[in-house]
Amino acid sequence: MEYSVQVRMNEKLFLRDPEQSELGRRIIRQGILLIDEIGFEETTFRKLADRMGTKEASIYRYFENKHRLLLYLIDWYWQWLDFQVMFETNNLTDNHEKLERVLRVLLQTNVSTPATPDDIDLVALHNIVICEASKAYLTRHVTEDNSQQLFKPYKDLTARIAALILEYRPNYPYARSQASSIIETAHYQSFFMRYLPSLTDFGGGDADASLLEFLRHLLFATLEI
Amino acid sequence: MEYSVQVRMNEKLFLRDPEQSELGRRIIRQGILLIDEIGFEETTFRKLADRMGTKEASIYRYFENKHRLLLYLIDWYWQWLDFQVMFETNNLTDNHEKLERVLRVLLQTNVSTPATPDDIDLVALHNIVICEASKAYLTRHVTEDNSQQLFKPYKDLTARIAALILEYRPNYPYARSQASSIIETAHYQSFFMRYLPSLTDFGGGDADASLLEFLRHLLFATLEI
DNA sequence: TCAAATAAGATAGCTTTACTATCAATTCAT
DNA sequence: ATGAATTGATAGTAAAGCTATCTTATTTGA
């Protein structure tokens, strides 16, 4: 049977829904590749248009500006992770194992979720999240963006993880902060590991395994009674 | 007796040392205020020059670009924190208490360190660190900047905290990752608390006290045997 | 103390970014 | 086949992010 996971995006993110046209879909897919390659600051709609063989003005018909495009990509990713967490923890009874799966999803290692939806380059997108995601909220217009629900996917993921934490350890008083911390830690420790390794303890052989071990330690040590 | 704490900056950060002239010092002090007020993205050398009653070109004689100015400010802050940690833990024998002091320094609460050095607005600078610090390293030129030692103050602070962690708990395998995590967590949980509070558990009355309590919990629970 | 060096002010100008506008060409839906 | 919507093509504007130059102050050091 054919199936595909549909990620339904907040309409405030775009001017015209990019999933409804070929050009729109190419903006998303090529946008991911370009931002991954040259970084968000260096990305311009002109460069993206050139790369796609279209015009700057056409991209502006879909997205108000490149910050909105970034928000779209990041939100997409959080929604995808949220789905993956749901999928990976489904039917499990062991609450410890559920949290273990959360960590693997965050690091995108050993995840068995259905293959890449809609030709999105998940590896590139994961890299974008590591390097650029905090720029989505570290702006002067956080509050305005927030009132348009633009951070809802991130909040939903945090809430889902917080709920799993509370299943594992009822009455834990910091479920949400613990959840948002573990998400953030997973990403910037990945960044540090890659670019500023002396800020981490993951120099040697299997750095990814060590990072997973560290996150496991952080999470479960704090959830002990 | 008169004394002042001198923060010696990496010469790669600037073209002309801003502490060596009145104009330079005003760039730093007014720069802090402007970035705090309007945010880093919205800050331009032209706006800063107008505010200071000087010219754009004059600022360019001190700093190659605004990213270098940001790095200067952030590095200054990390060096200042490093000093404060050193000062606050000096003469203490209780290793637990030392780490407790680290947390207070990170949150800038209940710190008894000598007053504001050189008219720097520490509250504004602390806010800048919360909102903008990660932009200092989340760039395409991390590696290049790193090779110029531009992240040394951050690494030094991390190393100092890691050393205190190892004093408290010898052989702990994640001293550096734990140190960098606690620094980052202190800052973005402050950010979330202020702008996206549903990502945290610090809604109510004394939010700052709750955040401190959370950090204490994170740190000491993971350092238990 | 006077000349030389240095810093700052003033003005100009250039390239790129981040848009907005317009109109023609194409495709698409009924 | 006609009208509506989408894209292409081209232009243009304001601001950002610089660099250059020339003049005027100020320092400094011989």
Side-chain angles (χ1 to χ4, degrees):
Chain A
M1 183 214 163
E2 287 288 319
Y3 55 82
S4 81
V5 180
Q6 268 291 16
V7 177
R8 165 63 124 272
M9 303 299 295
N10 183 336
E11 308 212 335
K12 297 283 174 56
L13 286 166
F14 47 76
L15 301 172
R16 201 202 292 310
D17 186 349
E19 285 304 324
Q20 296 309 309
S21 76
E22 185 50 34
L23 184 65
R25 285 184 290 270
R26 291 208 299 132
I27 291 170
I28 301 305
R29 279 129 193 93
Q30 293 292 314
I32 290 170
L33 299 180
L34 183 63
I35 295 174
D36 181 41
E37 277 171 33
I38 70 175
F40 180 66
E41 326 294 340
E42 286 67 29
T43 296
T44 67
F45 279 180
R46 199 181 297 269
K47 288 179 195 168
L48 178 54
D50 285 351
R51 182 196 178 102
M52 292 170 57
T54 182
K55 295 287 159 178
E56 203 185 1
S58 300
I59 302 180
Y60 276 108
R61 288 181 183 118
Y62 285 84
F63 291 99
E64 220 177 304
N65 52 53
K66 70 168 176 165
H67 187 260
R68 286 287 160 125
L69 173 59
L70 179 66
L71 266 171
Y72 184 98
L73 300 180
I74 302 294
D75 273 3
W76 192 96
Y77 187 80
W78 297 133
Q79 290 194 244
W80 173 239
L81 280 204
D82 196 36
F83 172 81
Q84 277 190 95
V85 168
M86 191 263 285
F87 188 91
E88 293 274 338
T89 59
N90 189 39
N91 290 327
L92 292 183
T93 48
D94 182 351
N95 290 323
H96 186 287
E97 178 61 18
K98 288 187 192 179
L99 288 175
E100 170 72 23
R101 298 291 178 102
V102 167
L103 299 181
R104 288 168 189 272
V105 168
L106 288 176
L107 296 181
Q108 294 284 293
T109 53
N110 295 69
V111 277
S112 62
T113 339
T116 317
D118 305 323
D119 287 332
I120 297 286
D121 186 332
L122 283 174
V123 173
L125 188 51
H126 181 230
N127 281 327
I128 292 174
V129 169
I130 289 172
C131 299
E132 324 283 1
S134 31
K135 295 170 190 167
Y137 54 76
L138 293 179
T139 71
R140 278 296 120 161
H141 45 272
V142 215
T143 306
E144 207 192 317
D145 289 353
N146 188 31
S147 70
Q148 289 191 74
Q149 311 271 76
L150 303 189
F151 305 116
K152 188 166 183 298
Y154 188 56
K155 291 177 179 180
D156 288 348
L157 177 62
T158 300
R160 184 182 298 277
I161 296 173
L164 293 172
I165 288 171
L166 286 171
E167 272 184 51
Y168 177 76
R169 164 98 139 85
N171 302 319
Y172 181 68
Y174 303 115
R176 287 184 290 174
S177 283
Q178 178 71 246
S180 56
S181 292
I182 211 80
I183 297 170
E184 292 294 325
T185 305
H187 292 115
Y188 65 70
Q189 289 287 315
S190 294
F191 183 89
F192 290 161
M193 196 170 92
R194 197 177 303 170
Y195 298 107
L196 301 166
S198 70
L199 296 173
T200 75
D201 301 281
F202 319 126
D206 201 343
D208 288 302
S210 309
L211 173 54
L212 177 57
E213 190 56 50
F214 172 62
L215 293 179
R216 205 179 268 140
H217 156 70
L218 274 191
L219 182 59
F220 292 114
T222 50
L223 296 181
E224 287 313 303
I225 310 278
Chain B
M1 184 216 161
E2 288 289 316
Y3 55 82
S4 82
V5 181
Q6 269 291 17
V7 177
R8 164 68 122 269
M9 304 298 296
N10 182 336
E11 308 213 334
K12 296 282 174 58
L13 287 165
F14 48 75
L15 300 171
R16 204 202 291 314
D17 185 350
E19 285 305 323
Q20 296 309 310
S21 75
E22 184 51 33
L23 184 66
R25 284 184 292 269
R26 292 207 299 130
I27 291 170
I28 301 305
R29 278 130 194 95
Q30 293 292 314
I32 289 171
L33 299 180
L34 184 63
I35 295 174
D36 181 40
E37 277 171 33
I38 69 174
F40 180 66
E41 325 295 339
E42 287 66 28
T43 296
T44 68
F45 278 179
R46 201 181 298 268
K47 288 179 193 167
L48 179 54
D50 285 351
R51 181 196 179 102
M52 293 169 57
T54 183
K55 296 287 159 180
E56 201 186 2
S58 300
I59 302 180
Y60 275 107
R61 288 184 182 115
Y62 285 84
F63 292 98
E64 219 175 306
N65 54 51
K66 70 168 176 166
H67 187 260
R68 286 287 159 126
L69 172 59
L70 179 66
L71 266 171
Y72 184 98
L73 300 179
I74 302 295
D75 273 2
W76 191 96
Y77 188 80
W78 297 133
Q79 290 194 245
W80 172 239
L81 279 204
D82 196 36
F83 172 80
Q84 278 191 94
V85 169
M86 191 263 286
F87 187 91
E88 293 273 339
T89 58
N90 189 39
N91 290 327
L92 293 181
T93 48
D94 182 351
N95 289 324
H96 187 285
E97 178 62 18
K98 288 187 193 181
L99 288 175
E100 170 71 24
R101 299 291 178 102
V102 167
L103 299 181
R104 288 166 189 273
V105 168
L106 287 176
L107 295 180
Q108 293 284 292
T109 54
N110 295 63
V111 278
S112 62
T113 340
T116 316
D118 305 322
D119 287 332
I120 297 287
D121 186 334
L122 283 174
V123 173
L125 188 50
H126 181 229
N127 281 328
I128 292 174
V129 168
I130 289 172
C131 300
E132 322 284 1
S134 32
K135 294 170 190 168
Y137 55 76
L138 293 178
T139 72
R140 276 298 119 160
H141 44 274
V142 217
T143 306
E144 207 191 317
D145 289 353
N146 188 32
S147 70
Q148 290 191 75
Q149 309 272 78
L150 303 189
F151 305 115
K152 187 165 185 297
Y154 188 56
K155 292 178 180 178
D156 287 347
L157 177 63
T158 300
R160 184 182 299 277
I161 296 174
L164 292 172
I165 288 171
L166 286 171
E167 272 184 49
Y168 177 76
R169 162 97 140 87
N171 302 320
Y172 180 68
Y174 304 114
R176 286 184 291 175
S177 283
Q178 179 70 247
S180 56
S181 291
I182 211 79
I183 296 171
E184 292 294 325
T185 304
H187 292 114
Y188 66 70
Q189 288 287 315
S190 293
F191 183 89
F192 289 162
M193 194 168 95
R194 198 178 302 168
Y195 299 107
L196 301 167
S198 69
L199 296 173
T200 74
D201 301 281
F202 320 126
D206 201 344
D208 288 303
S210 309
L211 173 53
L212 177 57
E213 190 55 51
F214 172 62
L215 292 179
R216 206 179 268 139
H217 157 69
L218 273 190
L219 182 58
F220 292 115
T222 49
L223 296 181
E224 287 312 305
I225 310 277

